Amino acid sequence: MPRVLLFNKPCGVLCQFSPSAGKRTLKDFIPIADVYPAGRLDADSEGLVVLTDDGKLQHVISDPKTKLPKTYWIQVEGEPDEAALRRLRSGIDLGDFVTRPAHARHIEQPSGLWERVPPVRVRKNIPTGWIELELHEGKNRQIRRMTAATGFPTLRLIRSRIGPWILDGILPGQFRLIDQPQVRV
């Protein structure tokens, strides 16, 4: 039976086990040998990372061809309007590629959300809003580029779901071992 861990990656942590000068890595939080992340999150991003010791399962989780949905909560500068959400839903030309259509909706700040360390910058005269975005792909800094293209730059990015796995109840820097992988290999 493959081992599957759900980890809530804090901001500033690199999504790798190998040491990096002055940076925290997965090794600082996960004392289990021979598990590897199925996909990555930027150091500035937070939230759910799935780790496993099964290479085939790792591939299924991270391969965009399997179309395993990934859901994100995004705090943006400004209050996103319906036109911005429509652009996210229809796909955005980012110059080097056009994003696939995404599910996008305005949400309130997620309940039970922890404080980010370091905190998000706050401007007194500029409100912030939240978007929930579900993607079936994931290229480097894609979400940040998508929200910026709609005129609402990302301030905070949290992955809340990967396929059947959710972040619910896992505090930053903590992980949960899952009994059943829930995804067919």
Side-chain angles (χ1 to χ4, degrees):
M1 179 73 71
R3 288 186 296 174
V4 177
L5 284 80
L6 307 181
F7 175 60
N8 186 347
K9 186 187 91 58
C11 182
V13 174
L14 298 180
C15 214
Q16 64 190 39
F17 280 95
S18 53
S20 184
K23 299 281 186 179
R24 294 185 305 166
T25 69
L26 297 176
K27 188 173 184 171
D28 296 314
F29 298 91
I30 301 172
I32 298 173
D34 301 323
V35 293
Y36 302 95
R40 297 183 172 268
L41 277 176
D42 294 338
D44 295 339
S45 300
E46 308 165 68
L48 186 60
V49 175
V50 177
L51 298 97
T52 182
D53 60 356
D54 184 310
K56 288 181 183 177
L57 180 59
Q58 182 183 22
H59 177 75
V60 167
I61 295 167
S62 59
D63 188 355
K65 292 176 185 167
T66 62
K67 297 185 175 23
L68 201 60
K70 295 169 183 73
T71 304
Y72 300 84
W73 298 326
I74 308 127
Q75 183 180 19
V76 295
E77 189 172 272
E79 295 183 29
D81 54 19
E82 188 57 34
L85 296 174
R86 263 195 312 275
R87 286 192 65 202
L88 293 169
R89 290 180 195 127
S90 62
I92 296 177
D93 185 346
L94 295 176
D96 52 338
F97 72 99
V98 177
T99 65
R100 292 181 184 172
H103 296 282
R105 68 186 184 104
H106 174 267
I107 61 171
E108 296 299 319
Q109 177 175 317
S111 64
L113 192 61
W114 56 90
E115 292 293 320
R116 192 182 99 159
V117 178
V120 172
R121 76 178 193 285
V122 177
R123 296 184 186 179
K124 290 181 183 178
N125 299 328
I126 300 176
T128 65
W130 287 86
I131 298 171
E132 183 178 77
L133 194 64
E134 182 182 293
L135 300 178
H136 294 272
E137 63 184 340
K139 298 190 169 114
N140 187 37
R141 303 191 73 80
Q142 177 178 341
I143 293 173
R144 294 176 190 282
R145 293 175 63 198
M146 289 171 72
T147 62
T150 65
F152 299 94
T154 295
L155 298 173
R156 187 174 184 188
L157 178 58
I158 304 163
R159 183 161 53 200
S160 62
R161 177 184 291 270
I162 300 173
W165 298 294
I166 59 172
L167 190 58
D168 193 37
I170 306 171
L171 297 173
Q174 301 296 311
F175 67 89
R176 180 184 304 144
L177 190 59
I178 299 298
D179 294 331
Q180 298 292 323
Q182 300 175 329
V183 171
R184 291 185 187 188
V185 179

